[in-house]
Amino acid sequence: MRRAPNAVGHLYGRPVRPSISPGLVRDRRFGDRTRRGCDPTEVRTFLHLVADELTALRAELAATRDENVRIKQALRDWQSQQFQQFQAGAGVTG
């Protein structure tokens, strides 16, 4: 499901966060300068770890959304069944 933000970068009054993909995290470069205390190899390793975690979280979110759809459909089916039984018990036709 794709949601389009309005002209000011908000989705129906709520701020829209930019999407950060695992590939974007893995491919991020910070230049050749070494800053005090930051080893470029360790930074790359950390970025790959973050990207892997982001991939796993996205998969878990997709599975949760699918489960949510299944549960909502089961609830709708149950409610329809209960309503039909209610109508049959009350002698309502139609």
Side-chain angles (χ1 to χ4, degrees):
M1 175 167 82
R2 185 171 176 235
R3 299 179 193 164
N6 64 20
V8 293
H10 287 73
L11 176 64
Y12 307 111
R14 291 184 290 161
V16 176
R17 291 180 299 166
S19 178
I20 299 175
S21 70
L24 182 64
V25 172
R26 279 190 191 94
D27 295 339
R28 180 68 169 108
R29 300 283 182 246
F30 295 101
D32 294 332
R33 296 180 298 192
T34 302
R35 300 178 194 257
R36 287 184 276 163
C38 291
D39 177 17
T41 303
E42 289 180 11
V43 171
R44 295 252 33 92
T45 301
F46 180 74
L47 288 176
H48 281 272
L49 179 67
V50 170
D52 292 344
E53 181 71 15
L54 184 56
T55 299
L57 289 171
R58 284 183 169 203
E60 186 177 337
L61 179 59
T64 301
R65 285 179 174 158
D66 291 343
E67 182 181 13
N68 189 23
V69 167
R70 285 191 306 272
I71 290 170
K72 284 181 177 181
Q73 186 59 51
L75 176 60
R76 283 187 205 104
D77 293 345
W78 180 84
Q79 287 173 328
S80 294
Q81 180 186 28
Q82 295 300 310
F83 182 71
Q84 289 169 359
Q85 288 176 0
F86 172 76
Q87 282 185 324
V92 178
T93 59

